[in-house]
Amino acid sequence: MCGIVGAVSARNIVPILVEGLKRLEYRGYDSCGVAVHRGGGLERARSTARVAELQEQVARDHLESGTGIAHTRWATHGAPAVHNAHPHFSPGPNAAAGAPGKIALVHNGIIENHDELRAELQAKGFVFTSQTDTEVIAHLVAHLYHGDLFEAVQQAVTRLRGAYAIAVFARDEPHRVVGAREGSPLVLGVGTREHGGETFLASDAMALAGVTDQIVYLEEGDVVDVQLGKHWIVGRDPARPDGSLRPVQREVRTVHAHSGAAELGPYRHYMQKEIFEQPKAIADTLDAVQSISPELFGDGAHSAFKGVDQVLILACGTSYYAGSVAKYWLESIAGIPTSVEIASEYRYRDSVPNPRTLVVTISQSGETADTLAALKHARSLGMTTTLTVCNVATSAMVRECKFAFITRAGAEVGVASTKAFTTQLVGLFLLTLALAQVRGRLSDAQEAVHLKALRHLPVAVQAVLALEPQIVAWSQAFTAKENALFLGRGLHYPIALEGALKLKEISYIHAEAYPAGELKHGPLALVTAAMPVVTVAPNDQLLEKLKSNMQEVRARGGELYVFADSDTRIESGPGVHVIRMPEHYGALSPILHVVPLQLLAYHTACLRGTDVDKPRNLAKSVTVE
């Protein structure tokens, strides 16, 4: 979601700030801005267009400085508008309209007590010019500032409730930026001596690719003072019950972040490119898997897995649907009771913890705020055996969990997840087999069969991608629709959910999914010729039941669009359109069946003319609650 880049340098840092924002564009945003220290004052440029427009504005204004902060904003408080865009300035209390700023600040996250702080600061004479919670922090720092910005920020964060990563600088202290984090990611980049010992702050190491590979991952509650050639970090002291801060050392890691989005090549959009990258992404994810072993998930995993008797999966959105598929695998193959929880709901209800639970988080970015919070809640309940399936090895999720499986999907630019989802399923299937092995439910012969099927997956997915021309023809029928229904049964019901999510988030067609057996319990009332009904029809033990559900749709005049395995004996006819899948794939069938649903959503969105890679109101990495 929101992106932060900040720097202190002996050279003009503005081009680096803007380039850093460009590297974070794929996460989604609706405004952007940059602020610098220049000529003894603060100057800024803000825009509700793309970063490229901001870059032009910066060039026109000749905005140059060795100290600055920049931001891409995804609106939470206040509409996308220039006056709500970051960076925010505070001129101090009782300032006249248009008074120069004393404090400049950018912020990721949400401040839950912003109304209370706003009222307090207004009473002290601070005037608010935006509807954001961020401006509250800027004024609070200004109120507490008495010549030492590091000290003022340390005092300010004690007043904040919620999630935040901030970068702030003051008019009266050139070559100094202060950062702080709680619940939102923030990293420190240590530069070379070449430019006076420049130092950076960013919400993601990717923003600093090509500038520095020396990265410090700040921990919860850290406040960092960034100056030329040096930095200080203070963090919470567990021995101090009042939560006061003390100087701390954080490890400097060498991180080779991806330098930016890959070229589109022959593709129209990144989403299309990423759909077609799935065979390679799956092959890369399986590259090091020669046999099934708990140690695929980290040293000591075998012993830890032997000590668990149930699994709790925590995830959001598409990752939640991956976990929902995994529940079927874990219970049927590994024989282990499994529950799947929406992360944003889990920590706000009373649950019954079991210390012998394996807590599994799933996240593409590894920075999903709700999932991280749910993980910490589970740990607080005594469930300390934790594992993540994640696409970013350096993410907070990987650092927070004892064990990890890193998918090899590569950078995923499109907001609607595709290759991250299928590689998550691969990782979860490997976890299922590892737990089955530990529990004595996986023979050598069964392991060989499953490994053979996994290694054939890239070829099988490639064969599904060859169906694209038929799916393009279907998408033309969907273009004028405003509603769609997706049906699936068993472990393909979560795939129907994922198909409906893809269609709604990029084409803006209202779509929902149901277990096919639930049709008669309500959704059948919606079925007319105007609502296409997409059906996932693998040749499994529920096929005959599914055929009956399809007849219920046809009897009400509904139009069926069926992705059927080749041997299901489902034929095209009046009101029934069938695309045949190349082969039935058993337990791994969900990985194949989701691919045509991705293509259907993609081509429908293209025909409707939507912004496929950056759908409205959505962001790639959801780092706020």
Side-chain angles (χ1 to χ4, degrees), residues 378-397:
R379 279 205 311 249
S380 73
L381 297 176
M383 296 181 287
T384 57
T385 306
T386 57
L387 181 151
T388 190
V389 176
C390 183
N391 193 40
V392 181
T394 57
S395 65
M397 203 77 70

Side-chain angles (χ1 to χ4, degrees), residues 8-11 13 16 189-192 195-200 211 228-229:
V8 172
S9 177
R11 59 171 164 165
I13 212 70
I16 290 175
V190 181
T192 64
H195 300 288
E198 61 190 10
T199 315
F200 306 90
V211 179
L228 280 173

Side-chain angles (χ1 to χ4, degrees), residues 74-282:
W74 186 81
T76 54
H77 295 76
V82 171
H83 69 279
N84 286 326
H86 300 208
H88 284 284
F89 283 179
S90 176
N94 302 309
K102 294 181 178 179
I103 297 293
L105 182 141
V106 294
H107 161 232
N108 291 353
I110 291 178
I111 303 304
E112 295 173 356
N113 61 332
H114 68 97
D115 282 337
E116 164 191 327
L117 291 171
R118 183 186 296 263
E120 177 184 326
L121 290 162
Q122 285 175 327
K124 295 180 185 298
F126 286 89
V127 176
F128 285 78
T129 60
S130 79
Q131 289 79 49
T132 67
D133 54 342
T134 300
E135 192 180 6
V136 169
I137 314 174
H139 287 321
L140 180 62
V141 172
H143 169 60
L144 297 169
Y145 180 66
H146 301 290
D148 187 332
L149 185 64
F150 191 42
E151 182 179 310
V153 172
Q154 289 181 64
Q155 293 176 24
V157 297
T158 65
R159 300 290 315 278
L160 304 179
R161 292 201 311 271
Y164 56 82
I166 62 173
V168 53
F169 67 97
R171 181 191 64 193
D172 297 337
E173 295 185 79
H175 298 299
R176 188 183 205 185
V177 175
V178 175
R181 67 153 299 199
E182 179 74 55
S184 289
L186 191 67
V187 303
L188 170 77
V190 181
T192 64
R193 295 282 175 184
E194 181 181 356
H195 300 288
E198 61 190 10
T199 315
F200 306 90
L201 288 174
S203 52
D204 189 318
M206 181 184 292
L208 305 179
V211 179
T212 181
D213 60 2
Q214 299 300 294
I215 302 296
V216 176
Y217 289 92
L218 300 174
E219 297 185 9
E220 294 286 84
D222 281 358
V223 182
V224 58
D225 186 354
V226 173
Q227 299 187 38
L228 280 173
K230 53 192 175 183
H231 67 268
W232 293 268
I233 304 173
V234 293
R236 293 195 185 105
D237 186 347
R240 298 178 180 177
D242 62 353
S244 57
L245 303 174
R246 62 177 176 81
V248 294
Q249 295 293 321
R250 302 291 185 223
E251 178 187 359
V252 179
R253 306 185 187 188
T254 300
V255 176
H256 300 292
H258 194 275
S259 61
E263 295 298 321
L264 269 175
Y267 301 101
R268 290 178 61 189
H269 300 94
Y270 283 106
M271 182 179 178
Q272 184 187 30
K273 178 177 184 287
E274 288 153 12
I275 289 172
F276 278 84
E277 284 177 339
Q278 287 177 113
K280 182 180 186 302
I282 291 170

